[in-house]
Amino acid sequence: MGRPAKIGIVGGTGYTGVELLRLLVRHPGVELVSITSRAEAGTPVAALFPNLRGFVDLAFSDPGQAGLEKCDLVFFATPNGVAMQQARALHDAGVRIVDLAADFRLKDAAQWQEWYGMPHACPELLAKAVYGLVEVNREAVREARIVANPGCYPTAVQLGLIPLVRSGQADLASLIADAKSGVSGAGRKAETHILFAEAADSFKAYGVPGHRHLPEIRQGLEAVAGRPVGLTFVPHLVPMVRGIHATLYAQVPATTDVQTLYEQAWGGEAFVDVLPKGSHPDTRSVRGANICRIAVHRPGGGDTVVVLSVIDNLVKGAAGQAVQNMNLMLGFPETLGLEAPALLP
């Protein structure tokens, strides 16, 4: 395999950062050389995350002194708007980049500003960035210098809808995505709505007038369809730590064998599991694993198809998918370091 690839992580103190660490410390092809945090600079990683004691000997370093330009690949596990400030210098230094935030997901800089509330710092790099949904863009990811890791909701929704969209059998004007996420999707921060006393024993929708993942999902589906897509996307917060469950609705002629369609679409994919007819996947079946499990139903044998798509928002929806992208970018087997089964219970 040659020398280990030198890997840096910018912003390693959030949930996606620690999940990246958990996956990378057992990856046989990489060496973690730098993990940055301005607030925690000098603090041993294992002091902040005791689960990594005995696996990570590094301390957090200040981003300005981290030597990221010497890495083979750098992950950005940072809030939106950070990676785009540093991407140009790293790109010019020959460093590959995987951004787990949204800075490079949307191709239109004006649209990005509309949804994220700030001008894009390096719009000239948007055209060079590859959207890292590997199951669709695998060959482009292999050659990419910058990969935009998909969002968690967009991963579950796109993998659930793409076979129908690609087939040309679905009514693309009336797609519906009704999605639920665990609280870790909001990040590792102190905000009232994600406090235990606020989120526990409750269940609510949010972002109904418009959620920033909507243009990302629509962009991905339209790239597959080759034409505009009408999508209603409603996210919900549920009182669990991990997991996304997306219930997806489409109008498809009753003569279409949707079970076979999905089995053929995703049958060769290591990280998409199409379940037997009549199945109902649950989020715990993917907890800690880099996999999307999908079941397809046609209630009453009518024209409405219901697709159930579940992922772990921190793994296939974030860090695991980022490692999957890294593997392709660095020439490793796509599944390397990601073979562990889900946790149960």
Side-chain angles (χ1 to χ4, degrees), residues 27-44:
H27 194 292
V30 306
E31 176 190 1
L32 284 168
V33 297
S34 183
I35 307 164
T36 78
S37 169
R38 285 188 173 85
E40 300 293 342
T43 302

Side-chain angles (χ1 to χ4, degrees), residues 1-338:
M1 189 175 289
R3 74 164 179 84
K6 296 184 181 298
I7 303 298
I9 299 176
V10 179
T13 59
Y15 291 136
T16 56
V18 68
E19 195 71 358
L20 265 176
L21 289 168
R22 183 180 73 85
L23 295 172
L24 291 172
V25 294
R26 302 293 292 174
H27 194 292
V30 306
E31 176 190 1
L32 284 168
V33 297
S34 183
I35 307 164
T36 78
S37 169
R38 285 188 173 85
E40 300 293 342
T43 302
V45 171
L48 190 64
F49 298 123
N51 64 313
L52 297 174
R53 182 176 171 83
F55 292 95
V56 179
D57 295 328
L58 293 172
F60 292 103
S61 57
D62 184 273
Q65 303 173 359
L68 296 172
E69 70 282 353
K70 299 177 182 178
C71 293
D72 295 298
L73 184 143
V74 168
F75 293 100
F76 281 88
T78 49
N80 299 322
V82 174
M84 65 182 185
Q85 304 291 340
Q86 303 178 42
R88 168 55 71 188
L90 290 174
H91 177 271
D92 290 350
V95 179
R96 289 179 168 89
I97 296 167
V98 177
D99 179 26
L100 280 78
D103 292 20
F104 296 97
R105 292 177 188 163
L106 300 182
K107 291 300 184 182
D108 186 322
Q111 187 182 53
W112 197 92
Q113 182 172 348
E114 175 188 351
W115 286 94
Y116 290 92
M118 65 186 89
H120 203 282
C122 53
E124 73 280 1
L125 291 182
L126 290 176
K128 296 184 178 182
V130 172
Y131 188 67
L133 192 64
V134 170
E135 290 77 12
V136 176
N137 295 326
R138 179 172 285 110
E139 296 311 313
V141 168
R142 292 187 198 276
E143 304 301 322
R145 307 297 303 185
I146 302 175
V147 163
N149 209 59
C152 49
Y153 281 127
T155 296
V157 173
Q158 288 179 90
L159 291 177
L161 285 175
I162 279 173
L164 288 177
V165 171
R166 183 184 284 153
S167 73
Q169 298 294 306
D171 178 1
L172 299 186
S174 59
L175 301 176
I176 297 173
D178 181 7
K180 291 88 174 172
S181 175
V183 180
S184 63
R188 189 172 182 264
K189 56 193 175 186
E191 290 187 353
T192 301
H193 76 283
I194 56 175
L195 295 174
F196 180 81
E198 300 289 332
D201 301 317
S202 186
F203 173 40
K204 69 174 183 178
Y206 64 98
V208 178
H211 186 280
R212 57 181 52 172
H213 280 167
L214 175 60
E216 178 184 343
I217 299 169
R218 187 183 289 134
Q219 175 183 267
L221 295 180
E222 289 179 348
V224 171
R227 58 192 177 97
V229 169
L231 174 70
T232 300
F233 169 59
V234 181
H236 300 73
L237 183 70
V238 295
M240 63 183 182
V241 175
R242 291 174 180 252
I244 282 179
H245 188 300
T247 305
L248 313 169
Y249 302 86
Q251 298 301 305
V252 183
T255 54
T256 302
D257 182 351
V258 290
Q259 181 70 26
T260 299
L261 178 67
Y262 274 75
E263 290 173 355
Q264 291 177 346
W266 298 137
E269 293 295 340
F271 297 122
V272 183
D273 179 21
V274 178
L275 300 178
K277 189 175 182 179
S279 299
H280 293 79
D282 53 13
T283 56
R284 74 171 185 164
S285 72
V286 295
R287 186 182 300 139
N290 189 59
I291 195 161
C292 175
R293 298 198 197 278
I294 294 174
V296 189
H297 295 260
R298 191 187 285 278
D303 289 344
T304 300
V305 169
V306 179
V307 183
L308 309 176
S309 175
V310 299
I311 63 170
D312 184 324
N313 57 293
L314 295 179
V315 190
K316 184 57 174 169
Q321 187 156 231
V323 172
Q324 189 179 350
N325 278 299
M326 177 202 76
N327 282 341
L328 290 175
M329 296 169 78
L330 296 180
F332 298 133
E334 187 177 324
T335 60
L336 192 62
L338 297 169

